[in-house]
Amino acid sequence: MKEIYIILFSVLLGAVGQIAFKYGATHIPETGSLTEKIIAAWPIIGGLFLYGLSTLFWIYALRTVELSYAYPLISLGYVLVFVASYFLFQESISPLRLGGLVLIISGIVLVAKS
């Protein structure tokens, strides 16, 4: 049971890393010195750190969990990023995207119950 929490934590870190990438990518100035651009890119650097940490937790979880069970749970990251992109970046949600999200959640539930 502990491994599931480690997998979920890994997925959460990866999703937050993606959100940091998006935030950083949209806040890098068009002009300015390289130093100013690097300073402005701190969310991207933070996202890379979170991705690396996520990978370490993922590897730890894979020591005891079957890959065929664990890997589909990564899809939860899509759900987290989908929801965050709506609330944080005001991205639109079309009915087709929402349908895809429902399918992803259905797949996660099926795998989790197996």
Side-chain angles (χ1 to χ4, degrees), residues 20 23-24 27-28 36-49:
Y23 180 83
H27 286 81
I28 295 176
E36 291 171 333
K37 289 181 180 184
I38 290 171
I39 291 170
W42 69 265
I44 295 172
I45 295 166
L48 286 169
F49 173 77

Side-chain angles (χ1 to χ4, degrees), residues 26-83:
T26 59
H27 286 81
I28 295 176
E30 296 288 327
T31 59
S33 70
L34 179 61
T35 304
E36 291 171 333
K37 289 181 180 184
I38 290 171
I39 291 170
W42 69 265
I44 295 172
I45 295 166
L48 286 169
F49 173 77
L50 291 173
Y51 240 62
L53 198 56
S54 170
T55 301
L56 293 176
F57 279 99
W58 179 252
I59 292 168
Y60 180 78
L62 288 180
R63 291 177 29 186
T64 56
V65 176
E66 294 178 3
L67 184 60
S68 62
Y69 176 78
Y71 197 71
L73 296 179
I74 289 179
S75 301
L76 186 57
Y78 300 138
V79 176
L80 296 174
V81 170
F82 184 93
V83 171

